[in-house]
Amino acid sequence: MPHALDSPRVPGALAKEALPFRGVALAWVITGGLVAAVTGPLGLDHGSWSAAFQVLVGGVLQAGLGVAQSALAGRPISRRVLAAELLTWNLGCLAVIAGTVLAAPLIVDAGGLLLVVAMAFMIRAVGRGAKGPASALWTYRAFLVLAFVSIPIGLFLAHTRAG
């Protein structure tokens, strides 16, 4: 008997397309919590910021966007697209954190660019054939726009802090 996850279109958080996002996001949340726990005792200059970024961008936003795109996409998302999204999103997050910690704004810029590329893949994956309630689609798009708008602000701050 086939398992529900083997079905080509299991909607939402249980869909095969959403599982990698949920798993990697959970790892970001756990590492963000660990960073937050050691920030004070180790005197990490960017520890609090890094923990928040890991939890909110690497974890919560990634999981939310991954689950939402899986639920909203009108057709199954290919493994190649999923891999590209996961790779660009997570390398982007790592670059933003590394560039911030190292006071290397060009690395932060590269990370921001990777995040934009990941969001472009996500917009395309849902596409015009989106299914589900219009409010869910607009919420998905609003979160992508909010993330997109926050990137130049973060890049400006990274360059300002680096001098």
Side-chain angles (χ1 to χ4, degrees):
M1 177 174 206
H3 189 275
L5 293 179
D6 294 332
S7 170
R9 294 303 302 158
V10 175
L14 293 179
K16 285 193 299 189
E17 295 98 343
L19 292 176
F21 291 97
R22 291 175 50 217
V24 175
L26 178 61
W28 277 109
V29 170
I30 291 169
T31 58
L34 293 172
V35 168
V38 301
T39 292
L42 296 179
L44 301 175
D45 289 337
H46 296 289
S48 176
W49 171 87
S50 177
F53 187 89
Q54 289 172 348
V55 170
L56 296 174
V57 179
V60 175
L61 188 58
Q62 177 172 210
L65 291 173
V67 168
Q69 85 167 354
S70 175
L72 294 170
R75 62 185 194 283
I77 303 164
S78 75
R79 289 179 190 228
R80 180 178 289 169
V81 170
L82 289 172
E85 290 173 348
L86 285 162
L87 187 65
T88 54
W89 188 272
N90 291 289
L91 287 177
C93 287
L94 288 170
V96 167
I97 293 168
T100 300
V101 169
L102 298 171
L106 293 179
I107 297 173
V108 178
D109 292 346
L113 179 60
L114 286 169
L115 290 170
V116 169
V117 169
M119 288 186 282
F121 283 128
M122 291 175 178
I123 289 168
R124 190 158 191 263
V126 170
R128 294 182 189 256
K131 61 183 178 113
S135 61
L137 180 59
W138 283 108
T139 301
Y140 174 73
R141 289 176 178 161
F143 275 99
L144 284 167
V145 167
L146 181 63
F148 181 78
V149 167
S150 72
I151 289 173
I153 295 167
L155 299 179
F156 172 77
L157 292 172
H159 282 268
T160 302
R161 277 183 259 145

